[in-house]
Amino acid sequence: MKALRTIRNVVVSFAILIAIWQLAFTFCHFSEALFPSPARAMKALVETFQSGAMIKHIGTSMYRFAIGYVSAVVIAALLGLILGVLPKVFQFVNPIAQLLRPISPMAWAPFIVLWFGIGDVPAIVVVFIAAFFPVLLSTVAAVNNIDPIYFKVSQNFGVKQPSITWKVIFPAAFPQIASGAHLALGSAWVFLAAGEMNGVQSGLGYMIVDARNNLRTDVLLATIVVIGALGLALDGLLRLIEKTTLKAWGGGEA
Amino acid sequence: MSYIEIKNATKTFETNGTTFTAFQNVNLTIERGEFVCILGASGCGKSTLLNAMAGFGLVTKGSVKIDGVEVSKPTPKRATIFQNYGLLPWRNVLRNVEFGLEGIKTPKSERRAIAERYVDLVGLSAFKKTYPRQLSGGMQQRVSIARALAVDPEVLFMDEPFGALDAITRAKLQDDVRRLSQTEKKTIVFVTHDMAEAVYLADRIVIMSPNPGRVKAIVPVPLQGERNRIGKDFLDFQNEIFDLFHKSPDDLVEYFI
Ligand SMILES: Nc1ncnc2c1ncn2[C@@H]1O[C@H](COP(=O)(O)OP(=O)(O)OP(=O)(O)O)[C@@H](O)[C@H]1O
Ligand SMILES: [Mg+2]
């Protein structure tokens, strides 16, 4: 019942969005080449899917995203666990992380292309950077937030390092690591498309650049819609994974 | 020589320049197999004293010896039970009890059977696969007791273990702990600020007073056999303990042993 209502709300809100779009198109007399109607964009969407181009670019983008995002989460979480356990080391790493974190991954793009050439790697690196810092910092914070009683109990029963890291610290920090990873997913996805605008000839970001160069604003909008929809779907997927793993983690909601 | 010997023990905390005395010149001996309750108002240093015995925070002056050896750190030979249980929420009941066994390196093949036995002992047979979050506070504390007993410690240190429970659950768990103390033959040091609880459970009651924390009196409980919470001798003795709280330390010499 609740799911049904959610679906209804989503349909209604999208219908409103499309209606506004259609109204804007009807009453503002832009040329259709500059501002495509919903129907044109929809037609372009269908065409790009039928020609197979869209599927191919989605596949490429997803491949880059998966590699960049998953490796960032794994490496940042491991590093975060280590730094969380070693606060003295983190004191030195933290200023560096704080300095690097606010720099847009795109600022590195010229270097990335210089160092990693063209192809899949630059986009993967951009996604990696975008996801890395949020996960690293939320993991360290998660470890620092662990209830000291878990350490007392471990100490009492003689559970020592390294067991304590994977028996206590990781599981205790896991929910907060997962929510950090979830937040990072959004920003990594945002930067994927941006990362694909340099040094590659494929992917959704490339499709946008290509559509612009060919003045195909309808294809451009169709691509934007796909990027949005995929971002939403990935978010939903991660939410689902998060929910099921957290369930295994503590037997249900808090 | 007594099993636990605390001599002239003082514990101070340094917090940004100022020294705070949590307890001072505490002398206390506890025999093997005894059930001792430490009774006192909030802030009089009960937990700090218990932690000094359990090895979580050592005394600043004096000495705390168990079995002739100065306490230096916690050991599985002496299990502590905390007011907020300290269960691992990502492990079910059995796996929580197994956690202690993993710590003392019990072979994997034996852990499950031992854990099952102690979960049965605390009456949670039907909840072996349940996660802590789905259990009531009383049940969670039973799990933590099972986890402690499973490693077969010599001593149980309990810090207001039933403080967060309702009166009915509390009474039930008091019965269980009393029964366990007799069948399992453990030395138990039990911190509480509930007089009736101390009178119901203890062989001896250590009364502490605050500012700074010190031992005001040590009183053996004269009740024999099954204790009746509403029996006349029980209530009379509880009144006696109540009076002790309000006496100045000078009147109390006769109670020291
Ligand atoms: N780590 C610490 N640093 C500084 N002061 C502390 C520390 N631990 C305890 N104290 C102080 O020592 C005093 C005694 O604390 P303790 O926890 O032993 O009291 P308690 O008798 O167990 O009280 P309660 O019944 O409230 O648990 C308190 O005033 C407390 O503020
Ligand atoms: Mg206390």
Side-chain angles (χ1 to χ4, degrees):
Chain A
M1 196 56 222
K2 203 171 143 228
L4 227 63
R5 204 163 30 225
T6 318
I7 291 171
R8 190 197 63 194
N9 292 350
V10 170
V11 168
V12 169
S13 88
F14 284 160
I16 293 172
L17 180 69
I18 293 170
I20 294 172
W21 178 1
Q22 181 63 49
L23 283 174
F25 175 77
T26 315
F27 292 106
C28 313
H29 299 277
F30 281 123
S31 134
E32 180 131 29
L34 292 181
F35 186 61
S37 68
R40 273 288 294 273
M42 183 52 79
K43 199 159 146 265
L45 189 67
V46 173
E47 272 170 17
T48 49
F49 267 102
Q50 273 171 348
S51 74
M54 184 63 88
I55 299 288
K56 204 183 92 222
H57 288 301
I58 288 177
T60 313
S61 282
M62 292 303 261
Y63 162 76
R64 292 172 184 151
F65 183 77
I67 300 213
Y69 176 73
V70 172
S71 61
V73 169
V74 171
I75 295 172
L78 283 175
L79 198 63
L81 282 176
I82 295 169
L83 291 175
V85 177
L86 304 170
K88 294 216 174 76
V89 179
F90 183 64
Q91 281 172 5
F92 293 100
V93 177
N94 192 28
I96 304 172
Q98 296 299 344
L99 179 76
L100 296 179
R101 188 175 60 118
I103 301 172
S104 160
M106 290 317 295
W108 301 106
F111 279 121
I112 293 169
V113 174
L114 282 174
W115 294 340
F116 298 100
I118 54 170
D120 291 332
V121 182
I124 291 174
V125 172
V126 167
V127 170
F128 181 93
I129 297 174
F132 183 79
F133 288 105
V135 176
L136 177 76
L137 294 174
S138 73
T139 304
V140 175
V143 174
N144 291 331
N145 274 346
I146 294 175
D147 189 335
I149 196 169
Y150 297 145
F151 297 115
K152 280 185 149 184
V153 169
S154 308
Q155 205 189 356
N156 194 170
F157 291 117
V159 178
K160 300 191 183 76
Q161 291 293 16
S163 311
I164 212 171
T165 299
W166 51 272
K167 280 187 183 171
V168 176
I169 297 178
F170 177 64
F174 179 80
Q176 211 180 324
I177 297 176
S179 81
H182 193 163
L183 279 176
L185 180 95
S187 62
W189 184 249
V190 166
F191 281 106
L192 170 73
E196 286 178 336
M197 293 180 181
N198 297 291
V200 283
Q201 300 291 313
S202 57
L204 293 164
Y206 167 75
M207 265 188 97
I208 289 192
V209 176
D210 191 49
R212 181 199 64 194
N213 292 344
N214 297 324
L215 288 178
R216 286 294 303 273
T217 50
D218 52 342
V219 174
L220 201 144
L221 257 175
T223 312
I224 288 173
V225 168
V226 168
I227 293 175
L230 283 177
L232 205 65
L234 280 173
D235 189 78
L237 181 70
L238 201 69
R239 200 182 297 271
L240 201 73
I241 297 174
E242 209 181 336
K243 220 167 125 179
T244 39
T245 45
L246 284 182
K247 207 165 214 161
W249 227 253
E253 313 285 80
Chain B
M1 191 184 67
S2 297
Y3 182 56
I4 300 179
E5 287 190 333
I6 303 175
K7 280 210 185 97
N8 293 321
T10 298
K11 173 77 179 184
T12 54
F13 292 108
E14 299 284 342
T15 27
N16 38 38
T18 60
T19 306
F20 177 83
T21 306
F23 61 77
Q24 187 175 309
N25 285 328
V26 168
N27 287 290
L28 175 65
T29 57
I30 297 172
E31 301 305 323
R32 211 182 267 276
E34 236 190 329
F35 197 133
V36 170
C37 278
I38 299 177
L39 180 67
S42 186
C44 67
K46 306 183 294 294
S47 297
T48 312
L49 182 60
L50 194 76
N51 283 336
M53 289 187 246
F56 289 112
L58 307 182
V59 290
T60 334
K61 266 193 248 148
S63 90
V64 177
K65 283 191 178 150
I66 300 184
D67 219 1
V69 181
E70 189 72 30
V71 172
S72 61
K73 60 178 190 323
T75 135
K77 280 199 292 191
R78 311 195 271 266
T80 300
I81 289 170
F82 301 94
Q83 181 172 356
N84 42 353
Y85 326 128
L87 299 180
L88 309 175
W90 54 90
R91 286 182 173 226
N92 66 26
V93 167
L94 266 183
R95 300 264 303 126
N96 259 289
V97 176
E98 284 177 16
F99 183 73
L101 297 167
E102 292 165 20
I104 60 166
K105 309 243 162 15
T106 305
K108 198 170 178 154
S109 54
E110 297 168 23
R111 277 184 224 148
R112 185 47 57 101
I114 298 174
E116 301 230 8
R117 179 145 45 86
Y118 284 96
V119 173
D120 291 342
L121 184 72
V122 297
L124 290 176
S125 311
F127 299 92
K128 286 177 179 155
K129 298 283 150 110
T130 308
Y131 286 86
R133 219 164 284 179
Q134 297 158 327
L135 298 174
S136 69
M139 291 156 106
Q140 292 189 46
Q141 195 57 289
R142 282 166 197 269
V143 178
S144 125
I145 292 170
R147 180 173 64 184
L149 290 174
V151 300
D152 196 22
E154 294 174 357
V155 190
L156 286 183
F157 292 116
M158 307 180 89
D159 192 353
E160 298 192 35
F162 310 143
L165 307 177
D166 65 85
I168 295 168
T169 312
R170 178 185 266 250
K172 181 80 183 63
L173 275 153
Q174 287 166 356
D175 287 342
D176 292 347
V177 163
R178 231 181 106 68
R179 178 173 50 82
L180 287 173
S181 81
Q182 282 154 6
T183 58
E184 302 288 310
K185 304 217 179 351
K186 307 287 179 198
T187 306
I188 300 183
V189 184
F190 188 110
V191 164
T192 180
H193 53 228
D194 178 343
M195 287 181 219
E197 183 166 72
V199 172
Y200 187 70
L201 292 174
D203 297 326
R204 270 191 309 151
I205 300 177
V206 177
I207 300 178
M208 289 185 72
S209 62
N211 301 319
R214 48 172 99 221
V215 173
K216 194 176 183 187
I218 300 174
V219 194
V221 180
L223 306 168
Q224 303 303 321
E226 199 68 11
R227 291 180 191 179
N228 176 359
R229 290 171 214 271
I230 49 169
K232 183 173 179 310
D233 48 353
F234 188 97
L235 295 175
D236 285 348
F237 183 67
Q238 196 177 314
N239 280 334
E240 227 173 283
I241 295 290
F242 183 85
D243 290 339
L244 279 176
F245 260 98
H246 302 280
K247 280 200 177 130
S248 76
D250 303 332
D251 310 332
L252 291 170
V253 187
E254 75 225 60
Y255 286 99
F256 282 96
I257 299 167

